[in-house]
Amino acid sequence: MLVVDDEMVLIKDYINILLVNDHYFKIEMKECYYHINGKNIMIHYLDNYEIRLSGQIDVITYDKF
């Protein structure tokens, strides 16, 4: 599940974090990959269930398996 608002992106029930830096974030979900592009992307909270990101998010795309 992906929730987006003005200040953060919340990702729940993820499988694996594949790539992260300050302008790109890729994560594996149950049925797809999410690609998040932007600026100053930071992880503010991380556990085995959810991740919270902040920064200037420009584009969110996904690829189905």
Side-chain angles (χ1 to χ4, degrees), residues 41-52:
I41 296 173
M42 295 185 295
I43 297 174
H44 286 277
Y45 180 77
L46 169 66
D47 68 12
N48 292 333
Y49 179 67
E50 70 180 33
I51 299 171
R52 292 182 190 168

Side-chain angles (χ1 to χ4, degrees), residues 2-62:
L2 181 76
V3 178
V4 180
D5 72 9
D6 292 341
E7 298 179 7
M8 69 154 202
V9 175
L10 175 65
I11 304 168
K12 291 187 176 185
D13 300 325
Y14 69 94
I15 304 295
N16 194 14
I17 298 171
L18 300 173
L19 182 65
V20 62
N21 59 41
D22 66 342
H23 64 277
Y24 181 72
F25 186 82
K26 182 177 181 180
I27 191 163
E28 180 181 358
M29 303 297 285
K30 184 177 179 182
E31 298 179 357
C32 68
Y33 296 111
Y34 282 124
H35 307 270
I36 300 172
N37 294 298
K39 296 177 184 168
N40 301 320
I41 296 173
M42 295 185 295
I43 297 174
H44 286 277
Y45 180 77
L46 169 66
D47 68 12
N48 292 333
Y49 179 67
E50 70 180 33
I51 299 171
R52 292 182 190 168
L53 304 173
S54 71
Q56 179 184 339
I57 305 302
D58 295 327
V59 177
I60 299 174
T61 58
Y62 70 95

